[in-house]
């Protein structure tokens, strides 16, 4: 385990929307370099970059055309190495986004695989034996290649699935076992890609859809075997590098597959959803909501088993948001957002802050899909730095921007929030620094529930010598609790403390140090 990970707070940078340095309307690597001090000052000490590889951008870069080439719109390899060097000089780690399950259909591997004559890449993807062989249970592209066969895709039609084999082989004439030579040739090719970047000095990978490798692998047994092999390679050759999975199943991702950390994602009915994103029609049933009648048990029943099984092997990563989800203001007021940030920064695991969440950037519902974004497009708009042209994102003409800037009069910016007491920015920055200055709030202490009742508020938990009180509701609540000389470390909203009780006012947070 790389020791640096347990002390980390990550910042997710969506490159095309973060900072444009050459006035073409699209963010780039040089632009990121100019904002490294900003990220560090916020308190984050590590960065996850969404894909920067060469791509036709049918899926915003998650359709990779060349794993070892920087997309020209972001710059050059020299620009990336400069970014990496400058980040390391400032004490910032860099993770790249690894897309292992599929490539673009313009990738050179696929261009070779779809040829009629057999070649070294014929088994790199999954083809049926004939264009007439198209089992309905698979997502197939039919009859569009010189090769006599149809190929599996993972998501969009332009994303052919790489061949890691099948756990349950139902069609032996064209399916290969996950233990086959063909499947492990793909694994070795993936390792080569990873080593290419690790040899350049990156600090690891966030892995896109990490559970999507082996087909028909319902329990993810064979997929976990692949990742354990990769983890072993990394431990031997790159012991300080880390793997963080987009899986949202710590038992499978951390315990079985060997990832250092696993994202806690917004999946329907899970604990993250119960905390922040649970809606039924127009009614918000989240624990963190302005009407605040969520159920903390719905979170704990999901989270505690995952935490207890994985806490000695890796970390669960809470996220403020990411590029695939509507931004928090779609669900919460600014007051509730601040409480949610306080919660995330005092929980175990390795937290991730999505760019713009530190100022409460809004989710846009009025945008046409961009590069396969569809409903996700509204969470990918340009960073809002100041009140200058294009909110400081770019000097390009407005019609050249990657996505439209938020020009509403009350659009939040870094400039308007930085230094303003009580702002989302200053709240989060303070919490990050408190977390990093106190190891018990990172990953050096267990998580203990002190007060949690079905369909009731507040929620109280302990992290080492700290006790955390969270009340997102619109009512005051009293908790029997003897402080015994403890002192208040940080608070949001009002509270009252007596010898044996803590009274939490509406929409409040209290961090106590014993």
């Amino acid at each position: 385990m790389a020791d640096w990970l347990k002390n980390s707070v990550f910042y997710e940078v969506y490159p095309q929307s973060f900072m444009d340095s050459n006035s073409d309307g699209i963010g780039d690597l040089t632009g990121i370099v100019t904002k490294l001090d900003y990220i560090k000052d916020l308190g984050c000490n590590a960065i996850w970059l969404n894909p920067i590889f060469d791509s036709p951008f049918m899926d915003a870069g998650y359709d990779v055309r060349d794993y070892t080439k920087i997309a020209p719109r972001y710059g050059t390899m020299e620009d990336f190495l400069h970014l990496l060097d400058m980040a390391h000089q400032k004490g910032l780690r860099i993770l790249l986004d690894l897309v292992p399950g599929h490539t673009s259909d313009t990738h050179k591997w696929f261009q070779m695989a779809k040829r009629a004559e057999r070649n070294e890449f014929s088994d790199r993807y999954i083809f049926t034996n004939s264009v007439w062989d198209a089992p309905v249970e698979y997502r197939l592209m039919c009859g569009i290649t010189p090769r006599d066969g149809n190929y599996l895709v993972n998501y969009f039609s332009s994303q052919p699935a790489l061949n890691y084999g099948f756990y349950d082989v139902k069609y032996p004439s064209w399916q290969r076992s996950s233990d086959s030579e063909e499947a492990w040739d793909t694994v070795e090719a993936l390792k080569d890609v990873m080593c290419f970047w690790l040899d350049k000095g990156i600090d690891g990978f966030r892995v896109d859809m990490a559970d999507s490798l082996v087909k028909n692998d319902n329990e993810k047994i064979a997929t976990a075997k692949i990742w354990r092999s990769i983890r072993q390679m990394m431990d031997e050759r790159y012991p300080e590098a880390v793997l963080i999975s987009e899986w949202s199943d710590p038992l499978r991702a951390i315990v079985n597959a060997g990832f250092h950390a696993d994202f806690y994602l917004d999946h329907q009915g899970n604990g993250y959803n119960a905390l922040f994103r649970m809606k039924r029609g127009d009614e918000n049933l989240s624990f963190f909501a302005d009407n605040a009648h969520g159920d903390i048990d719905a979170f704990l029943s999901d989270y505690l088993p995952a935490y207890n099984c994985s806490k000695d092997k890796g970390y669960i990563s809470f996220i403020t948001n990411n590029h695939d989800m509507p931004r928090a203001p779609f669900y919460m007021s600014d007051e509730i957002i601040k409480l949610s940030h306080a919660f995330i920064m005092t929980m175990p695991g390795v937290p991730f802050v999505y760019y713009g969440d530190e100022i409460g950037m809004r989710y846009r519902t009025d945008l046409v899909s961009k590069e396969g974004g569809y409903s996700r497009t509204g969470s990918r708009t340009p960073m809002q730095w100041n009140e200058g042209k294009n909110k400081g994102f770019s000097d390009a003409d407005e019609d050249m921007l990657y996505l439209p800037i938020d020009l509403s009069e009350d659009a939040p910016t870094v400039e308007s929030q930085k230094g303003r007491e009580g702002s989302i920015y200053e709240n989060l920055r303070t919490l990050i620094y408190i977390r990093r200055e106190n190891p018990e709030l990172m990953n050096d202490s267990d998580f203990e529930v002190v007060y949690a009742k079905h369909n009731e508020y507040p929620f109280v938990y302990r992290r080492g010598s700290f006790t955390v009180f969270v009340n997102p509701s619109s009512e005051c609540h009293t908790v029997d609790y003897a402080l015994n000389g403890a002192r208040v470390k940080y608070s949001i909203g009002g509270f009252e403390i007596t010898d044996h009780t803590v009274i939490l006012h509406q929409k409040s947070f209290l961090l106590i140090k014993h």
Side-chain angles (χ1 to χ4, degrees):
M1 176 70 72
D3 286 340
W4 64 266
L5 185 60
K6 72 178 181 180
N7 302 326
S8 294
V9 177
F10 277 83
Y11 190 87
E12 179 187 352
V13 172
Y14 195 67
Q16 50 267 62
S17 294
F18 193 60
M19 186 64 198
D20 172 22
S21 71
N22 62 0
S23 303
D24 66 354
I26 298 177
D28 48 51
L29 297 174
T30 300
I32 297 170
V33 171
T34 68
K35 296 300 182 180
L36 291 177
D37 286 336
Y38 166 81
I39 294 171
K40 183 176 181 179
D41 185 63
L42 179 62
C44 297
N45 54 5
I47 296 170
W48 159 33
L49 293 175
N50 293 110
I52 56 173
F53 313 117
D54 183 44
S55 169
F57 292 100
M58 299 296 291
D59 188 13
Y62 283 92
D63 49 328
V64 178
R65 180 162 52 201
D66 188 336
Y67 285 109
T68 60
K69 180 182 177 182
I70 300 294
R73 76 184 193 182
Y74 298 135
T76 64
M77 183 64 75
E78 289 71 25
D79 292 329
F80 173 73
L81 295 177
H82 177 62
L83 166 60
L84 185 63
D85 180 56
M86 292 301 295
H88 284 168
Q89 286 186 38
K90 297 176 185 295
L92 299 169
R93 307 276 182 167
I94 296 287
L95 295 193
L96 293 185
D97 210 328
L98 182 68
V99 187
H102 57 265
T103 69
S104 165
D105 58 3
T106 60
H107 195 291
K108 62 183 178 182
W109 294 347
F110 188 73
Q111 292 300 303
M112 293 294 292
K114 71 180 186 179
R115 292 184 177 181
E117 65 275 15
R118 280 196 61 81
N119 58 73
E120 62 178 309
F121 296 103
S122 294
D123 296 316
R124 185 59 52 84
Y125 299 85
I126 304 171
F127 280 79
T128 64
N129 282 338
S130 164
V131 293
W132 315 118
D133 189 0
V136 295
E137 64 264 38
Y138 298 105
R139 299 178 66 184
L140 294 165
M141 293 302 297
C142 301
I144 59 174
T145 71
R147 180 173 175 173
D148 186 9
N150 306 307
Y151 62 89
L152 269 68
V153 296
N154 272 353
Y155 305 105
F156 297 157
S157 62
S158 58
Q159 294 170 320
L162 286 163
N163 181 18
Y164 295 94
F166 289 74
Y167 185 71
D168 180 14
V169 175
K170 295 182 178 179
Y171 300 93
S173 64
W174 57 272
Q175 295 178 347
R176 299 292 177 265
S177 165
S178 57
D179 289 324
S180 67
E181 181 179 352
E182 295 91 339
W184 280 85
D185 281 347
T186 305
V187 176
E188 292 304 314
L190 178 63
K191 289 180 181 178
D192 288 344
V193 169
M194 297 174 71
C195 290
F196 174 86
W197 292 104
L198 290 166
D199 285 341
K200 292 187 181 301
I202 71 164
D203 300 290
F205 297 93
R206 174 268 190 185
V207 180
D208 180 65
M209 295 300 295
D211 65 334
S212 68
L213 303 190
V214 177
K215 304 304 179 186
N216 293 353
D217 185 17
N218 294 333
E219 299 302 317
K220 308 302 178 182
I221 295 171
T223 297
K225 181 179 179 180
I226 290 172
W227 289 117
R228 287 198 305 273
S229 172
I230 290 171
R231 172 69 187 269
Q232 181 180 359
M233 177 273 290
M234 290 180 63
D235 286 348
E236 292 172 355
R237 296 180 58 180
Y238 312 97
E240 288 299 302
V242 302
L243 276 178
I244 299 180
S245 59
E246 183 191 30
W247 198 316
S248 204
D249 189 333
L251 174 62
R252 290 175 174 174
I254 297 172
V255 179
N256 295 345
F259 280 88
H260 296 88
D262 181 36
F263 278 127
Y264 203 13
L265 301 170
D266 178 29
H267 289 171
Q268 189 65 38
N270 77 347
Y272 188 96
N273 182 257
L275 284 173
F276 306 120
R277 301 288 193 274
M278 183 180 288
K279 295 191 78 172
R280 183 181 299 152
D282 293 332
E283 188 177 18
N284 192 338
L285 300 178
S286 308
F287 186 79
F288 286 91
D290 288 292
N291 56 8
H293 53 258
D295 182 10
I296 195 63
D297 280 351
F299 160 66
L300 292 173
S301 63
D302 180 65
Y303 175 76
L304 283 176
Y307 169 73
N308 287 326
C309 80
S310 62
K311 65 180 181 178
D312 296 325
K313 297 180 180 297
Y315 308 120
I316 296 173
S317 285
F318 279 88
I319 59 176
T320 61
N321 204 71
N322 68 20
H323 59 287
D324 286 333
M325 297 158 48
R327 287 189 181 269
F330 188 66
Y331 301 89
M332 312 174 196
S333 66
D334 289 357
E335 290 79 8
I336 300 297
I337 289 172
K338 288 189 285 186
L339 297 180
S340 74
H341 289 172
F343 169 82
I344 288 171
M345 290 302 158
T346 52
M347 286 292 287
V350 178
F352 279 69
V353 177
Y354 185 46
Y355 86 98
D357 280 1
E358 71 272 27
I359 58 171
M361 277 180 58
R362 296 163 185 155
Y363 175 62
R364 299 282 299 275
T365 60
D366 58 333
L367 300 181
V368 174
S369 177
K370 178 77 170 185
E371 297 183 348
Y374 297 99
S375 62
R376 305 171 297 180
T377 302
S379 293
R380 301 176 177 185
T381 54
M383 180 65 177
Q384 295 154 203
W385 295 104
N386 55 49
E387 295 302 327
K389 183 177 181 180
N390 297 318
K391 292 288 191 282
F393 165 68
S394 173
D395 286 333
D397 292 339
E398 186 178 336
D399 61 358
M400 292 176 59
L401 297 183
Y402 175 74
L403 283 170
I405 201 82
D406 185 353
L407 296 177
S408 56
E409 289 187 5
D410 61 346
T413 66
V414 173
E415 181 181 58
S416 66
Q417 292 205 12
K418 196 170 184 179
R420 179 165 61 83
E421 185 178 357
S423 67
I424 294 175
Y425 174 89
E426 290 298 341
N427 176 71
L428 179 57
R429 183 176 184 272
T430 299
L431 286 160
I432 292 174
Y433 276 91
I434 290 174
R435 178 185 180 90
R436 290 186 53 197
E437 290 169 357
N438 295 278
E440 290 175 298
L441 291 176
M442 290 182 287
N443 294 293
D444 284 347
S445 65
D446 285 340
F447 169 74
E448 177 188 350
V449 176
V450 175
Y451 183 96
K453 293 188 177 181
H454 179 62
N455 284 334
E456 291 187 14
Y457 289 83
F459 178 41
V460 184
Y461 52 96
R462 187 174 290 121
R463 302 290 319 284
S465 64
F466 288 89
T467 303
V468 183
F469 299 75
V470 186
N471 178 29
S473 79
S474 297
E475 300 176 351
C476 290
H477 291 279
T478 301
V479 179
D480 292 333
Y481 192 86
L483 266 68
N484 298 326
R487 59 187 175 85
V488 175
K489 184 72 174 180
Y490 188 71
S491 65
I492 302 171
F495 63 91
E496 300 169 38
I497 295 174
T498 69
D499 289 342
H500 300 287
T501 63
V502 174
I503 302 172
L504 298 166
H505 293 188
Q506 63 179 356
K507 299 180 181 179
S508 60
F509 170 88
L510 183 61
L511 177 64
I512 290 176
K513 169 71 171 176
H514 294 269

